[in-house]
């Protein structure tokens, strides 16, 4: 069978499967509880798989393995940060958020605050974080399809990004949370199975001897033993070391503030299921990140990394082709098509979750609670969610096209930095600090959001990096423009403390009286679950 035809059939099979799930789910969805939270009918195991499916994004599968293939030990540090972050999510937010909210992050914040300013701030932050994350997935989709079609045509990549945008809008507007969750569950199973297959085939090449694998990777990288030691990417200068510390802080703290992960805790019936969800997710994600170690070092050992794209996003698909028999072989073509189809399913599942989260926040928080002051019907709110999904999809497409030369793991790290700077301080203060009030919440969210995004705008990511050896611009803006006065690529080390500082400053300078009874009720509900069901039905 022609390689291109095989690839096309596998891609179409993945898309057809997810479209079929979405249509099935649309017939099971009736009101806002179904549309936003899947009717709260998912078990802990199902939700754990879905969280894993949501979290193991194109950045994990393509970006991290690429970072390891190019940077060795320093690339694997992404995996460590992403995994350790789940302990923070488990300890700080999972159960307490499930007990004290309804559909969105803002529900929990607005319980003891003035509704309109807090909901507006939380919805704005949710949309910004989601769009950063969406960019990564869509850039990955463009790179994948370009590889599979064997062309490096920019128009093809751009068309792919538009197609993924259209599909993600379809998933959300038709399937809601039920459809999105089942797409994520199916994708998680496919991704784990596909990754396990490639890992076994890579280890077979080295007789399951990890030492041989790492030694070959080090010698093939051209960096020697430095490839397996800290510092190849982040240790050259003091600035790069601080940049790595900033990245690590953002990765570890960001997960507990990611809106598309937080919303998943509302899809289970009890707080016990919320805990179970996170435990299953940790197990699944932990195994997957061990897989990325083999995938990344396997790519470094078996591939000529100088032929990879500059960001390393295609290391895993190229590795699949190599262990299947190499370029031009039937086995190589089959495995390349299989892994690319799995990666495409990964992208589709994650963009659906992100788009649902951000559009739900626009409809539920801004439209219903700010504009309509809580008077919108369920049908009006769902209709607004669908309109918002279309608008967010369009914005993501327009921003993803110029961002295609950035590593997708890095793009996701930016989303983590914004989430940790804007969302986490407000969530932590709201649950644990009695004096926290409306001004503190608004200042915390906007302060963290503006500082993190602002610092990125004036960082080397946007301008000032220059060109690589091939003459390709490494920043977003043309090389003639340089506004990079902030030296770090990762803003978290500055913006996260600022988010907490602004939350404290806003609270202590406000004369708004503390709603003692509301805080006590929130505390009891968050810690015990008492009254949580009434909040859901409210």
């Amino acid at each position: 069978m022609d390689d291109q035809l095989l690839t096309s059939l596998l891609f179409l099979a993945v898309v057809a499967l997810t479209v079929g799930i979405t249509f099935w789910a649309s017939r099971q969805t009736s009101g806002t509880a179904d549309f936003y939270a899947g009717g709260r009918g998912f078990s802990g195991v199902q939700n754990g798989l879905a969280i894993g499916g949501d979290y193991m994004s194109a950045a994990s599968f393509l970006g991290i393995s690429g970072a390891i293939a190019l940077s060795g030990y320093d690339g694997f540090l992404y995996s460590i940060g992403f995994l350790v972050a789940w302990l923070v999510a488990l300890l700080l937010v999972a159960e307490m958020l499930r007990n004290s909210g309804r559909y969105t992050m803002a529900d929990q914040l607005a319980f003891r605050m003035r509704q309109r300013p807090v909901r507006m701030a939380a919805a704005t932050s949710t949309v910004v974080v989601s769009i950063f994350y969406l960019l990564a997935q869509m850039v990955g989709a463009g790179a994948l399809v370009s590889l599979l079609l064997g062309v490096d045509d920019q128009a093809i990549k751009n068309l792919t990004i538009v197609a993924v945008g259209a599909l993600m809008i379809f998933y959300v507007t038709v399937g809601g949370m039920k459809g999105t969750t089942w797409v994520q569950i199916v994708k998680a199973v496919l991704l784990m199975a596909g990754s396990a297959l490639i890992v076994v085939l890579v280890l077979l090449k080295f007789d399951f001897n990890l030492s041989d694998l790492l030694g070959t990777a080090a010698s093939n990288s051209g960096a020697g033993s430095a490839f397996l030691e800290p510092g190849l990417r982040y240790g050259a200068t003091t600035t790069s070391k601080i940049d790595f510390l900033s990245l690590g802080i953002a990765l570890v703290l960001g997960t507990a503030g990611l809106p598309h992960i937080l919303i998943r805790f509302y899809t289970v019936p009890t707080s016990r299921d919320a805990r179970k969800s996170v435990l299953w997710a940790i197990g699944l994600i932990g195994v997957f990140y061990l897989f990325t170690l083999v995938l990344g070092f396997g790519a470094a050992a078996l591939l000529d990394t100088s032929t990879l794209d500059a960001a390393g996003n295609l290391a895993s698909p190229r590795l699949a082709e190599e262990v299947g028999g190499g370029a031009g072989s039937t086995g190589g073509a089959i495995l390349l098509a299989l892994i690319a189809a799995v990666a495409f399913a990964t992208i589709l599942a994650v963009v659906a979750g992100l788009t649902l989260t951000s559009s739900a926040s626009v409809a539920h928080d801004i439209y219903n609670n700010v504009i309509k002051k809580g008077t919108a019907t369920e049908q009006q709110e769902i209709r607004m969610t669908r309109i918002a999904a279309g608008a967010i999809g369009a914005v993501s497409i327009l921003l993803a096209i110029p961002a295609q030369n950035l590593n997708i793991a890095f793009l996701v790290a930016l989303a983590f930095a914004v989430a940790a700077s804007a969302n986490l301080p407000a969530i932590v203060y709201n649950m644990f600090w009695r004096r926290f009030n409306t001004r503190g919440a608004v200042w915390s969210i906007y302060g963290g959001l503006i500082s993190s995004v602002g610092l990125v705008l004036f960082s080397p990511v946007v301008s000032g990096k220059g060109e690589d050896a091939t003459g390709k611009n490494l920043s977003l803006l043309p090389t003639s423009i340089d506004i990079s006065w902030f030296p770090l690529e990762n803003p978290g080390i500055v913006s996260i403390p600022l988010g907490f500082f602004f939350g404290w400053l806003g609270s202590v300078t406000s004369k708004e009286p503390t709603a003692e009874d509301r805080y006590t009720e929130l505390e009891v509900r968050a810690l015990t679950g008492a009254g949580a069901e009434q909040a859901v039905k409210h």
Side-chain angles (χ1 to χ4, degrees):
M1 184 186 288
D2 179 73
D3 293 349
Q4 300 294 340
L5 179 60
L6 174 67
T7 300
S8 301
L9 288 174
L10 274 170
F11 256 70
L12 290 173
V14 168
V15 173
L17 176 64
T18 56
V19 167
I21 290 170
T22 305
F23 275 123
W24 167 80
S26 69
R27 294 197 294 271
Q28 320 291 320
T29 300
S30 56
T32 50
D34 278 344
F35 196 85
Y36 292 149
R40 292 185 173 82
F42 290 101
S43 69
V45 176
Q46 289 171 333
N47 197 45
L49 281 168
I51 290 173
D54 223 350
Y55 196 66
M56 296 182 298
S57 65
S60 302
F61 189 52
L62 302 178
I64 293 177
S65 57
I68 295 171
L70 297 177
S71 306
Y73 180 95
D74 282 11
F76 186 55
L77 292 170
Y78 274 102
S79 293
I80 301 297
F82 282 134
L83 180 58
V84 172
W86 271 106
L87 298 177
V88 180
L90 175 63
L91 293 172
L92 276 183
V93 300
E95 181 181 354
M96 297 176 78
L97 202 67
R98 162 61 188 78
N99 289 343
S100 54
R102 291 179 67 206
Y103 302 135
T104 66
M105 178 183 76
D107 286 332
Q108 199 259 11
L109 291 174
F111 182 78
R112 52 184 283 236
M113 313 287 178
R114 295 202 310 279
Q115 296 274 318
R116 299 180 74 182
V118 170
R119 286 189 182 276
M120 194 74 202
T124 302
S125 175
T126 295
V127 170
V128 172
V129 172
S130 298
I131 286 177
F132 267 121
Y133 220 115
L134 281 168
L135 296 186
Q137 313 311 314
M138 297 168 91
V139 167
L144 258 183
V145 173
S146 173
L147 169 67
L148 287 168
L149 296 179
V151 295
D152 196 24
D153 186 355
Q154 196 59 48
I156 296 290
K157 292 182 180 179
N158 294 348
L159 280 173
T160 302
I161 287 172
V162 173
V164 171
L167 273 171
M168 75 187 191
I169 294 166
F170 164 78
Y171 292 139
V172 173
T173 55
V174 176
M177 179 56 87
K178 279 190 176 177
T180 298
T181 299
W182 280 111
V183 167
Q184 287 162 344
I185 291 171
V186 169
K187 166 256 163 149
V189 173
L190 287 175
L191 181 61
M192 291 300 290
S195 300
L197 173 63
I198 304 304
V199 164
V200 169
L201 291 174
V202 168
L203 291 175
L204 270 174
K205 294 268 186 183
F206 298 92
D207 296 323
F208 289 86
N209 188 322
L210 279 175
S211 181
D212 281 355
L213 168 62
L214 296 175
T216 307
S219 60
N220 196 43
S221 69
S225 61
F227 192 71
L228 303 178
E229 297 170 359
L232 190 61
R233 178 172 180 178
Y234 292 112
T237 64
T238 301
T239 300
S240 66
K241 291 177 181 176
I242 296 172
D243 205 14
F244 165 66
L245 180 61
S246 184
L247 167 68
I249 293 170
L251 293 182
V252 170
L253 297 180
T255 300
L258 285 175
H260 72 293
I261 298 296
L262 297 179
I263 200 173
R264 293 233 55 89
F265 297 131
Y266 297 134
T267 65
V268 291
T270 67
S271 57
R272 183 173 179 270
D273 285 311
R275 287 196 303 277
K276 194 173 182 181
S277 297
V278 180
L279 292 173
W280 268 89
I282 288 174
L284 196 68
I285 293 164
V287 171
F288 177 74
Y289 284 133
L290 288 176
F291 286 170
T292 64
L293 180 65
V294 177
L295 293 173
F297 283 112
L302 298 172
L303 303 176
D304 179 359
T305 51
S306 65
T307 63
L308 293 175
D309 56 311
N313 293 331
L314 297 178
S316 286
R318 291 277 189 206
L319 178 65
E321 182 180 48
E322 179 64 29
V323 297
S329 68
T330 302
I334 290 172
L335 276 185
L336 173 60
L338 176 67
I339 291 305
V342 168
F344 201 66
T346 294
I347 290 166
L348 295 178
V350 174
V351 296
L354 287 162
T355 309
L356 175 63
T357 302
S358 49
S359 56
S361 191
V362 169
H364 181 66
D365 296 324
I366 297 178
Y367 173 71
N368 188 9
N369 286 285
V370 174
I371 297 173
K372 302 289 282 187
K373 299 181 180 176
T375 62
T377 64
E378 290 193 350
Q379 289 73 24
Q380 288 174 322
E381 198 172 312
I382 291 173
R383 186 169 67 246
M384 179 53 65
T385 304
R386 290 171 170 150
I387 294 169
I392 289 163
V395 170
S396 301
I397 290 168
L398 292 174
L399 291 176
I401 289 172
Q404 290 177 70
N405 63 329
L406 297 177
N407 179 285
I408 51 182
F410 172 75
L411 282 170
V412 168
L414 291 184
F416 274 68
V418 177
S421 305
N423 297 345
L424 185 65
I427 292 170
V428 171
Y429 277 144
N430 193 49
M431 289 195 292
F432 299 108
W433 189 26
R434 188 177 296 272
R435 281 194 62 188
F436 193 53
N437 54 35
T438 304
R439 181 189 284 181
V442 172
W443 282 24
S444 175
I445 293 171
Y446 284 132
L449 181 64
I450 293 168
S451 61
S452 55
V453 175
L455 290 174
V456 169
L457 288 176
F458 294 106
S459 76
V461 176
V462 173
S463 67
K465 258 193 178 181
E467 299 176 341
D468 63 13
T470 64
K472 188 173 184 180
N473 183 15
L474 295 172
S475 298
L476 287 177
L477 295 179
T479 52
S480 57
I481 301 173
D482 185 359
I483 54 172
S484 59
W485 56 262
F486 183 67
L488 306 180
E489 294 187 10
N490 298 284
I493 199 167
V494 176
S495 59
I496 296 171
L498 280 176
F500 279 98
F501 171 73
F502 283 124
W504 169 81
L505 185 64
S507 297
V508 298
T509 57
S510 172
K511 294 179 179 168
E512 179 184 351
T514 303
E516 293 283 344
D517 56 333
R518 299 291 277 179
Y519 173 76
T520 302
E521 185 180 345
L522 178 69
E523 186 177 38
V524 170
R525 180 177 295 172
L527 292 173
T528 68
E533 294 307 311
Q534 286 80 355
V536 166
K537 294 170 184 173
H538 173 62

